[in-house]
Amino acid sequence: MELESRVFFQMMFFLNLSAFGRCTGISFVDSTMVPVCHNLRRYANKVFKGMATDGKGTMGWCHGFKLHLVCNDRGEIITFCFTGANVDDRDPKVWAVLAKNLYGKLFADRGYISPRLFDMLFEDGIHLVTGIRTNMKNRLMPMWDKVMLRRRCIIETINDMLKNTAQLVHSRHRSVNNFIMNMVAALAAYCFFDNKPKALDGYYIEDTKQLMMF
């Protein structure tokens, strides 16, 4: 760990230039909580005092940070953003980082529904595709978008591999530098995994017109 901190900038350059994937016109976005300690010990935690925040995700409350990820249809990480746990997924500052190298269609869950975010991304050539909430009116959607929206589990699989295989989350951090280096090392380790999930594995698109239109 002591040697890793000395090559932090070199590793970041390596990730952006060689390890991370490139946008293919089909992208998936999601965020995951990165807790730094158990919720019962959040007031006693001194390492991240004044930095870690309380936020609520799909798995409940968390004291720590949030990792925003964007991947392509081949399961390659395109870019990421690291924020406090209480930062909204639709925050413009987050998308100022995530949307730099994106184009085409971006598939997300219902937590990203926002007319303001849709318009902002559309002006940059990015079409945000999400599902609808139960209290919203139904709307027509191309068959291709429906198929790819169901394959959004690819980004959730990446989050699971980062946490359970690359050991992104643990409560043994003794410094902020150690925590950041561990996160970057986990992202770098995932880039060399051979079993990356792919969006169209096992899918056969019968309607070729939809594919050609896309």
Side-chain angles (χ1 to χ4, degrees):
M1 294 303 299
E2 183 180 355
L3 296 177
E4 284 183 354
S5 61
R6 299 177 185 178
V7 295
F8 173 77
F9 292 103
Q10 292 88 335
M11 182 175 289
M12 289 300 300
F13 278 119
F14 171 75
L15 289 177
N16 284 280
L17 296 177
S18 301
F20 282 171
R22 299 294 179 262
C23 182
T24 60
I26 304 175
S27 306
F28 302 87
V29 62
D30 196 13
S31 63
T32 182
M33 293 293 185
V34 184
V36 296
C37 66
H38 194 277
N39 287 335
L40 296 178
R41 293 189 284 109
R42 63 183 183 272
Y43 297 113
N45 187 282
K46 297 180 180 180
V47 177
F48 299 96
K49 186 176 182 180
M51 300 181 63
T53 57
D54 295 332
K56 188 175 183 180
T58 55
M59 302 301 293
W61 286 95
C62 162
H63 180 73
F65 302 91
K66 183 184 289 187
L67 179 63
H68 307 263
L69 283 178
V70 178
C71 74
N72 57 24
D73 57 323
R74 296 193 291 261
E76 300 171 339
I77 297 175
I78 300 176
T79 185
F80 71 96
C81 182
F82 196 60
T83 64
N86 60 347
V87 176
D88 194 283
D89 293 338
R90 300 163 293 184
D91 194 302
K93 295 181 180 179
V94 174
W95 285 99
V97 177
L98 297 181
K100 285 183 178 180
N101 300 317
L102 299 182
Y103 64 88
K105 294 197 175 183
L106 178 66
F107 298 90
D109 59 16
R110 297 180 181 89
Y112 291 86
I113 296 177
S114 169
R116 179 184 177 186
L117 177 60
F118 179 88
D119 294 339
M120 181 184 70
L121 294 177
F122 196 78
E123 291 178 356
D124 295 333
I126 304 171
H127 181 195
L128 180 63
V129 182
T130 64
I132 58 174
R133 296 192 179 100
T134 55
N135 60 348
M136 297 174 62
K137 293 183 179 179
N138 198 4
R139 63 181 182 182
L140 295 176
M141 182 181 295
M143 181 60 67
W144 174 264
D145 289 353
K146 286 186 177 181
V147 172
M148 297 308 295
L149 196 59
R150 291 177 181 176
R151 299 300 294 167
R152 200 191 59 80
C153 60
I154 180 177
I155 188 73
E156 297 176 355
T157 303
I158 293 175
N159 289 333
D160 180 73
M161 294 175 69
L162 286 173
K163 289 184 175 181
N164 296 324
T165 306
Q167 298 182 357
L168 175 68
V169 177
H170 65 79
S171 59
R172 302 183 298 274
H173 300 292
R174 295 297 177 263
S175 68
V176 177
N177 293 336
N178 182 15
F179 171 74
I180 296 176
M181 198 64 226
N182 179 77
M183 183 194 67
V184 175
L187 294 174
Y190 171 80
C191 293
F192 292 95
F193 287 174
D194 295 327
N195 58 339
K196 294 185 181 68
K198 294 180 175 57
L200 294 178
D201 274 1
Y203 266 76
Y204 298 93
I205 308 301
E206 297 179 0
D207 193 351
T208 57
K209 292 182 180 180
Q210 291 289 337
L211 182 59
M212 294 301 293
M213 288 175 61
F214 179 80

